[in-house]
Amino acid sequence: MAGADLIDGRAIAATIQADVARRVAGLKTRGVQPGLAFVRVGEDPASKVYVGRKEKTCGELGIHSETHVLPEAADERELLELISGLNADPRLHAILVQAPLPAQIRESVVYSAVLPGKDVDGFHPVNVGKLALGDPTGFKPCTPAGIRELLAHSGVRTEGAEVVILGRGNIVGKPLAILLCQKEPNANATVTICHSRTRDIRAHCRRADILVAAMGAPEFVKADMVKPGAVVIDVGVNRVPDPGAKGGSRLVGDVDFAGVRAVAGKITPNPGGVGPMTIAMLMQNTVRAAEIAAHI
Ligand code: GUN
């Protein structure tokens, strides 16, 4: 049996980015180029890769980007000073501080310091609040927004669907739950969040019409946890040891892809599923920030 259809995140991201490129061209005719500042603290290898991919996409779409790197030992004050300068720079419409941050820096303090109008991550309390209230004027966090687009573009109906999300993090699980239970198109789902204290995760998973794995546990979701025909979205990026692989390790998702593909109806490949969508939504938020600044 061929198994589940693949949800092609790269192809869907490309259609969204084509629209972003058109909007960037429209801004150019008015003398405006969208600008996005990246901030990294330390040398986390995964963060370097992620920011590198985002910078490359900015270049392809005509968005100005610049990356500021602080040393691993930087304190909160240094980072807040950097953000304050970026907030004040009119060439920059958007700011992204890559998580995770070193332990001496409080993420909540940092994300509260980014101007809400430049907060294309959707992590500032004003944007989190707007998301919770269903106020469309805020910026929605990129991975949850990308997952909603993946579902919509793949013809997956969320209306009345049982959605089970594994993971309650502030970047994916919690905001995705809020987004998918809103009373609006491509939402209206019945959402359950499972986490490390959930009593019977398998029983919850088996009820799901749409199962989203975002807890960071390598290949946690097995075939016997999935209802036949369900839609499975794998957000996980986990590096696991593999003596046979180049560098002695390889990347796997939170889903046992080969096993789950045999029972699911649709599934995201990993890589090539959620990752490209996160970047596409970041580009969309950035062009929107620039349009708002240009009063379009
Ligand atoms: N780290 C993992 N995902 C994200 C994201 O969407 N934004 C930021 N800033 N950091 C992340």
Side-chain angles (χ1 to χ4, degrees), residues 14-103:
T15 66
I16 290 168
Q17 284 170 197
D19 179 60
V20 171
R22 269 192 298 278
R23 289 163 68 181
V24 171
L27 282 165
K28 194 174 176 189
T29 64
R30 298 168 178 245
V32 176
Q33 183 184 27
L36 167 55
F38 297 103
V39 179
R40 277 201 297 109
V41 184
E43 299 302 322
D44 177 60
S47 291
K48 278 176 152 170
V49 171
Y50 294 147
V51 171
R53 283 190 195 144
K54 293 169 188 174
E55 286 174 311
K56 181 167 172 279
T57 309
C58 284
E60 289 163 0
L61 299 181
I63 295 172
H64 163 75
S65 76
E66 56 187 56
T67 299
H68 301 261
V69 182
L70 292 181
E72 182 76 32
D75 62 24
E76 210 171 84
R77 190 184 41 81
E78 283 173 75
L79 179 53
L80 292 176
E81 271 170 23
L82 173 60
I83 291 171
S84 164
L86 302 173
N87 279 339
D89 186 339
R91 291 174 312 125
L92 297 171
H93 306 98
I95 299 168
L96 181 145
V97 183
Q98 185 70 24
L101 293 169

Side-chain angles (χ1 to χ4, degrees), residues 8-211:
D8 187 348
R10 288 200 181 102
I12 298 167
T15 66
I16 290 168
Q17 284 170 197
D19 179 60
V20 171
R22 269 192 298 278
R23 289 163 68 181
V24 171
L27 282 165
K28 194 174 176 189
T29 64
R30 298 168 178 245
V32 176
Q33 183 184 27
L36 167 55
F38 297 103
V39 179
R40 277 201 297 109
V41 184
E43 299 302 322
D44 177 60
S47 291
K48 278 176 152 170
V49 171
Y50 294 147
V51 171
R53 283 190 195 144
K54 293 169 188 174
E55 286 174 311
K56 181 167 172 279
T57 309
C58 284
E60 289 163 0
L61 299 181
I63 295 172
H64 163 75
S65 76
E66 56 187 56
T67 299
H68 301 261
V69 182
L70 292 181
E72 182 76 32
D75 62 24
E76 210 171 84
R77 190 184 41 81
E78 283 173 75
L79 179 53
L80 292 176
E81 271 170 23
L82 173 60
I83 291 171
S84 164
L86 302 173
N87 279 339
D89 186 339
R91 291 174 312 125
L92 297 171
H93 306 98
I95 299 168
L96 181 145
V97 183
Q98 185 70 24
L101 293 169
Q104 73 276 13
I105 297 177
R106 292 168 293 176
E107 289 189 356
S108 61
V109 171
V110 170
Y111 289 122
S112 298
V114 175
L115 276 181
K118 295 192 179 192
D119 169 40
V120 285
D121 254 333
F123 293 171
H124 188 285
V126 164
N127 286 318
V128 176
K130 286 183 174 182
L131 177 75
L133 293 168
D135 176 341
T137 66
F139 287 109
K140 293 185 179 61
C142 301
T143 301
I147 291 170
R148 189 177 62 167
E149 289 296 316
L150 272 184
L151 296 171
H153 283 260
S154 309
V156 177
R157 276 179 59 83
T158 53
E159 179 99 18
E162 293 282 345
V163 174
V164 173
I165 300 169
L166 306 180
R168 56 179 154 184
N170 288 335
I171 295 180
V172 186
K174 242 189 285 179
L176 179 64
I178 295 169
L179 195 58
L180 291 182
C181 74
Q182 291 294 344
K183 193 169 187 172
E184 60 187 34
N186 299 318
N188 276 319
T190 304
V191 182
T192 304
I193 300 185
C194 296
H195 48 73
S196 53
R197 301 292 188 276
T198 298
R199 244 182 287 135
D200 188 350
I201 288 202
R202 187 172 171 279
H204 285 290
C205 290
R206 284 197 60 88
R207 277 193 300 105
D209 302 312
I210 300 168
L211 179 60

